[in-house]
Amino acid sequence: MRLLFICLSLWFSFQAVGTAAVSPLLPSFEAYIQKTLSDWQASGVAVIIVKDGAVVYEKGFGVTDVHHPQPINEHTIFPLASLSKNFLATLMAQLVDEGILNWDAPVRQYLPNFQLSEAQIAAQFTVRDLLTHRSGLKPFAGDTLWNLNFSAQEIQQGLAQLPFVKGFRQEYAYQNHLYGIASELVEKVTGQSITTLFHDRLFKPLDLNDTRVGPLPAPEKGILSFIKKLFKKTDKENVALPHTVIGGKTTSFPVPPMMYTFKGSTGIHTSLHDLGRWIVFQLNAGQGNDKKLISAAQIQQMRTPYIQATNLRPDDIQFPASRIQHVSYGIGWFLHDYGEGTKKVSVLSHMGGVAGVRTLMTIIPEQKLGIAILSNFGAMRVSMIPEALRNKFLDLYLNLPPHDWSQENLAKMALIRAKNKQQKNAFRLQNPRNPHPLKVYVGVYENSLYGRFAIQQDKDNLVLIYRQQRIPLNHWNGDEFEFKGYHLSPAYSDYDQGYIEFAVQGTHAVLSAINLMFEGKSEIFKRLEDKP
């Protein structure tokens, strides 16, 4: 009984110390959160802070769905997007501990059919290389295929066509689908689904009861939902839908299927409450609920820098040089310093962002401090809210000079969009041209990476038909037409304008190119003489 009393006393003492370090910062921080939501016209965020082994702050702001508002709380379930990669890396570290995997074994030892465009590199590619963003491929290689809802098999076949732009293991370039291949490798060597592995090895031992993998049920609406609300809140109601900007307004939409193409890379959903437990587990060096799930050796492997991001711009929105220096990538972690002068800490972090979602988790082991921000608004081209909020909190915690990260990020993104639009408009004003008769463009066009699309005429307009999408085109200038990016894929928003341009010879177009399909050895689509 005395031992229990001592343990409880120590726990409350630690919690009091952690709360005392954070509590004075919260009024300013909360006011900034509210201002940031207003600045961006965002649907909502959820924020959790861990200090000295305990959750000292967790709170939701805004709503799960702007069209059917329900307040966000600590059990609201958010898609994590690429923050899932931190879970996958942790799972794989377990398997290395158990001798099931070897970081430095060739990928082909486990997946004999693994292919890249250079056979010699594919043969040397190790499990570690899948997870460290040093492949030599262009950043986000294959993401255009992902945005177009290509299957996992189609994306892997596409990766095998993509040229290398840098030397193998020579330069940082973030990748999504190599993590996806890593999750398939894990399934192959264990004989279990990634869903089962996550649940049995991580979620269950850590009591992550709100956390799951794969598609979520859509929030219920109408009279049935109203009746259920009278009696009980259900998980179906407490899901944060993705939001983006369409027609100048913040709007919600279902989680797109592409999020689950590679579940281990982008397919986890969790709540703020569970993510707090995950942060405690990571700060406690792989131990949670009195269970040691990963060895100290593997924790060190994950937190070792394998490639330095020397190619970042000083004004990079994710890693602004005024606060963040020495950015590297380990295994499932970004590693960098945060601060200035003598007020500087070593940080581990990972973000996620795609199709209406933006997430960020940061831990500072030496301070026993962690913070996570989940947002159901935007993606990289729409919102950088989590980065702004994380930076603001760390500025307050380290007592750094005040800086309005929200307004700075918003202004930078608006400037980029405005410059792109101005350049496009200026070209049209200087070179105005009429189109050819619309029948000139009608036909079927083919590209080795993206396959085929058709151009049809519908009265006085053209229509692009691609992978069951029927997309109206509007004349822009000469042989160039425009379309809304979100008509092609839910990965796009108001800020992703699509353009298709034709090359005409004689009585018909012979070539075409679409600005949102730019990967591969050639972005040119060739017109087929006869329809298939």
Side-chain angles (χ1 to χ4, degrees), residues 236-298:
K236 287 186 177 181
E237 295 168 343
N238 204 9
V239 174
L241 285 183
H243 289 72
T244 192
V245 179
I246 302 293
K249 295 181 180 180
T250 299
T251 187
S252 65
F253 59 97
V255 179
M258 57 178 280
M259 200 81 86
Y260 315 116
T261 304
F262 292 111
K263 294 177 183 176
S265 177
T266 58
I268 293 179
H269 300 257
T270 196
S271 67
L272 199 63
H273 181 78
D274 279 9
L275 198 53
R277 294 187 175 196
W278 183 253
I279 291 173
V280 170
F281 163 72
Q282 293 290 352
L283 285 171
N284 204 23
Q287 182 166 319
N289 281 351
D290 297 322
K291 303 179 183 76
K292 187 69 175 175
L293 300 185
I294 324 171
S295 69
Q298 293 312 318

Side-chain angles (χ1 to χ4, degrees), residues 1 8 32 68 110 175 232 269 410 488:
M1 191 69 170
L8 286 172
Y32 193 76
H68 302 275
Y110 307 107
Q175 303 297 334
K232 183 181 178 181
H269 300 257
L410 194 60
L488 181 65

Side-chain angles (χ1 to χ4, degrees), residues 45-48 55 57-61 71-78 210 238 270-276 374:
V45 296
V47 181
I48 193 160
V55 172
Y57 181 81
E58 59 178 345
K59 188 171 181 179
F61 300 80
I72 291 171
N73 61 36
E74 68 274 17
H75 289 288
T76 298
I77 296 170
F78 286 79
D210 293 334
N238 204 9
T270 196
S271 67
L272 199 63
H273 181 78
D274 279 9
L275 198 53
L374 304 176

Side-chain angles (χ1 to χ4, degrees), residues 73-115:
N73 61 36
E74 68 274 17
H75 289 288
T76 298
I77 296 170
F78 286 79
L80 286 186
S82 283
L83 191 45
S84 304
K85 293 178 172 64
N86 185 257
F87 287 78
L88 178 63
T90 303
L91 169 66
M92 293 178 72
Q94 276 190 333
L95 297 176
V96 174
D97 264 336
E98 297 169 19
I100 297 172
L101 283 181
N102 182 331
W103 290 126
D104 296 310
V107 174
R108 284 183 174 172
Q109 178 176 319
Y110 307 107
L111 295 175
N113 295 325
F114 175 68
Q115 298 290 337

Side-chain angles (χ1 to χ4, degrees), residues 395-416:
D395 285 354
L396 291 169
Y397 182 81
L398 297 171
N399 195 26
L400 294 169
H403 193 102
D404 194 341
W405 296 103
S406 172
Q407 278 298 319
E408 180 176 291
N409 290 354
L410 194 60
K412 283 181 180 179
M413 295 178 74
L415 181 62
I416 292 169

